[in-house]
Amino acid sequence: MDEDELTYADAGVDIDASEAATAALVGAAKVADSAAYAGLVDLGDRYLALATDGVGTKLLVAEALGDYSTVGIDCIAMNVNDLVAAGVDPVAFVDYLAIEAPDDAIAAELGDGLATGAERAGVVLVGGETAVIPEVVMGLDLAGACAGLAAKEAVFAGEAQPGNALVGWPSSGIHSNGLTLAREAVTRSHEYTDPLPGGEDSIGRALLEPTRIYTDLLGPMRTHDVDAAAHVTGGGWTNLGRMGEYRYVIDDPHPRQPVFQFIQEAGNVTDLEMHRTFNMGTGFVAALDERRARSLADETDGRVIGTVSEGTGVEIRGLELEA
C-alpha cells in the first residue's frame, strides 16, 4: 500500500468496526426482526415504519462555508430514502438538533432546509427538539426520524431473485456519506473555495450538493413489482447485499460526477475504497424481473445497470466487493 494512499479508516471511520458495533447494539437491545432499511410495526392490514439517520460530517463542510441552508434537505433525504427502499410511503418527520450554543441564524438556515426537504419528500414536519449541550457536542449535530405507512401488499418482499435485472437511478453527487474521507482527501492541498476541476462549482459547493430524494420512485416501482431495493449509502456498493446474499453484476452504472474523481485523485484513494465508501454516481437500485426492468427504467430516469445471479459479492468496474 502506498504510504500516501488514503482509506476511510485512515480518515477516522472503520466501516467493519462500525458494523460490528451496530450488531452489538442491536443484539443487546433485542431489536425486532425488520426490513433492511426500516423498522416495521405490524398494525394488522398495514405496517408502520420508522427510520432514523443524521447528516454526519457534512455539517463540517457547511460550517467551513458558513452555509447551513441545504443540510436539512440531507437530513430528510437520508431518512425517507431508507423508507422508500423498504417500499413504504414516508409520512411524518421529526428532527433533533444538538448544539453547543444557541444560534438563531444557523437554526433558521437548518429550518429552511428541513422545510424544503419535507416538501420534496411529501412528508409533514410534525415537531422536533433542540438541545443545548456544550459538554457533549462541539458545534452542532443534526439528525431526525421519519415515520411511514404502507399496506402490507405494498411493502417490497426485500429479497432479490437470481435472474433479476437491476435498475439504478443517478445520485445528485456525494449525498451524505463518506464525508469524513472526502474532507480528509480534498483538504490535503486544497481549500473548499477552490474550483472543482471538471465541475461548475467550488469544491465545497460540490460536497454540499443535497442528497437526492427518491420518493417519486415508489409508484413506478410498485407498478413494476420490484422485489427489493437498496439505498446506496454508507458502505457504498456493498449495500446491495441488503437485498439478499447473491452476486450483483453491475455492467452499466451511471457515470461518476466530477466530485468523485477529484476526491480519488486528491486523496490517492483506490478504486476499491471509493466503491465501498461512496455511491459513485448511482444512489438507488431496485431488483425486479428482467421483463419489467426496461419499462421501469424508461418511465423514470433510471437505467438497467446489471443483473442478479447465484453467488456472492458485487462486481462493478472490474472490482470485486464483499456485499
Side-chain angles (χ1 to χ4, degrees):
M1 176 177 170
D2 189 321
E3 62 178 12
D4 293 327
E5 187 178 288
L6 184 62
T7 68
Y8 206 3
D10 292 334
V13 179
D14 186 324
I15 295 175
D16 294 334
S18 176
E19 290 180 348
T22 299
L25 173 63
V26 170
K30 297 180 174 60
V31 175
D33 292 338
S34 199
Y37 287 92
L40 301 179
V41 181
D42 192 333
L43 298 181
D45 61 339
R46 294 183 296 171
Y47 283 119
L48 166 67
L50 298 168
T52 184
D53 207 343
V55 179
T57 63
K58 195 169 190 174
L59 289 166
L60 295 178
V61 182
E63 179 184 24
L65 294 180
D67 183 1
Y68 292 88
S69 63
T70 62
V71 290
I73 302 173
D74 291 289
C75 191
I76 298 282
M78 297 304 293
N79 283 278
V80 301
N81 288 344
D82 279 357
L83 294 188
V84 173
V88 174
D89 295 282
V91 175
F93 189 89
V94 293
D95 66 273
Y96 177 76
L97 171 63
I99 194 163
E100 183 177 8
D103 189 308
D104 291 350
I106 291 176
E109 289 192 359
L110 293 172
D112 286 342
L114 288 167
T116 299
E119 182 178 2
R120 292 182 184 179
V123 300
V124 178
L125 291 172
V126 293
E129 173 72 13
T130 298
V132 180
I133 42 178
E135 295 178 286
V136 177
V137 299
M138 296 178 59
L140 63 89
D141 188 27
L142 178 66
C146 191
L149 286 171
K152 286 187 172 178
E153 62 272 15
V155 174
F156 301 146
E159 182 86 3
Q161 301 296 323
N164 276 171
L166 296 170
V167 175
W169 289 269
S171 66
S172 56
I174 196 170
H175 286 185
S176 199
N177 289 104
L179 268 296
T180 300
L181 174 58
R183 290 185 302 102
E184 178 69 20
V186 304
T187 57
R188 279 184 165 187
S189 56
H190 294 83
E191 301 290 336
Y192 289 129
T193 53
D194 291 344
L196 176 71
E200 300 178 356
D201 294 320
S202 68
I203 295 168
R205 291 296 168 191
L207 293 178
L208 281 185
E209 181 67 30
T211 303
R212 176 175 171 179
I213 292 173
Y214 294 100
T215 49
D216 61 306
L217 299 180
L218 269 171
M221 287 195 294
R222 286 172 177 156
T223 299
H224 291 81
D225 294 325
V226 160
D227 290 315
H231 180 200
V232 185
T233 57
W237 283 87
T238 66
N239 275 274
L240 268 61
R242 294 190 181 198
M243 297 190 293
E245 192 172 336
Y246 300 107
R247 182 167 182 78
Y248 302 91
V249 179
I250 313 301
D251 50 30
D252 192 22
H254 288 278
R256 293 168 277 198
Q257 292 93 344
V259 67
F260 294 113
Q261 181 177 350
F262 179 71
I263 291 168
Q264 183 167 15
E265 293 176 353
N268 191 23
V269 184
T270 66
D271 281 340
L272 185 64
E273 190 72 3
M274 291 294 293
H275 283 80
R276 69 188 298 267
T277 304
F278 302 111
N279 66 65
M280 299 301 286
T282 304
F284 201 90
V285 177
L288 69 161
D289 190 292
E290 61 178 347
R291 294 168 295 182
R292 295 189 292 270
R294 179 63 59 189
S295 177
L296 174 59
D298 289 345
E299 289 182 19
T300 61
D301 64 337
R303 66 199 285 178
V304 177
I305 63 169
T307 56
V308 181
S309 61
E310 297 285 359
T312 60
V314 178
E315 178 185 334
I316 179 172
R317 296 187 173 114
L319 304 170
E320 290 285 340
L321 284 73
E322 293 184 11

